[in-house]
Amino acid sequence: MKSDAQARIEHEVAELRGAYPRLTSCHSALRTWVEDDAPRHALWLDLRWPEHQSIVSGAACGSVEEALQAGFDRARAILGDARA
């Protein structure tokens, strides 16, 4: 059974692929660590499209949901810039 985070990542990746059809690959890693006795989370994305690759890291956040939002917001900004 998939976690909520895994399901959201798959959903967001599918949306990215729909919005940016030139995207050929998107691999993700949700990183979690403890800093100053508090959990931190960050989403890393490896985005590839013809003749391009971008490794995206969202900001480190206190919750998984915030980390997913930050990572995908950053990915959309990079892909939007690449489209221009």
Side-chain angles (χ1 to χ4, degrees):
M1 186 167 186
K2 292 181 187 172
S3 72
D4 290 342
Q6 288 173 317
R8 169 126 184 247
I9 289 169
E10 288 178 8
H11 174 78
E12 293 279 354
V13 167
E15 292 216 348
L16 282 178
R17 288 180 184 270
Y20 305 96
R22 294 190 65 212
L23 187 64
T24 57
S25 175
C26 179
H27 297 280
S28 64
L30 180 61
R31 305 290 185 194
T32 300
W33 67 97
V34 175
E35 186 176 300
D36 297 327
D37 295 324
R40 304 297 288 166
H41 312 275
L43 179 66
W44 295 1
L45 297 166
D46 177 357
L47 306 170
R48 297 174 190 229
W49 60 99
E51 299 181 27
H52 293 86
Q53 176 182 15
S54 185
I55 306 296
V56 176
S57 178
C61 299
S63 76
V64 170
E65 286 300 316
E66 290 173 346
L68 296 179
Q69 187 67 46
F72 283 108
D73 285 349
R74 182 77 180 120
R76 281 187 283 278
I78 287 171
L79 290 168
D81 288 347
R83 183 186 280 178

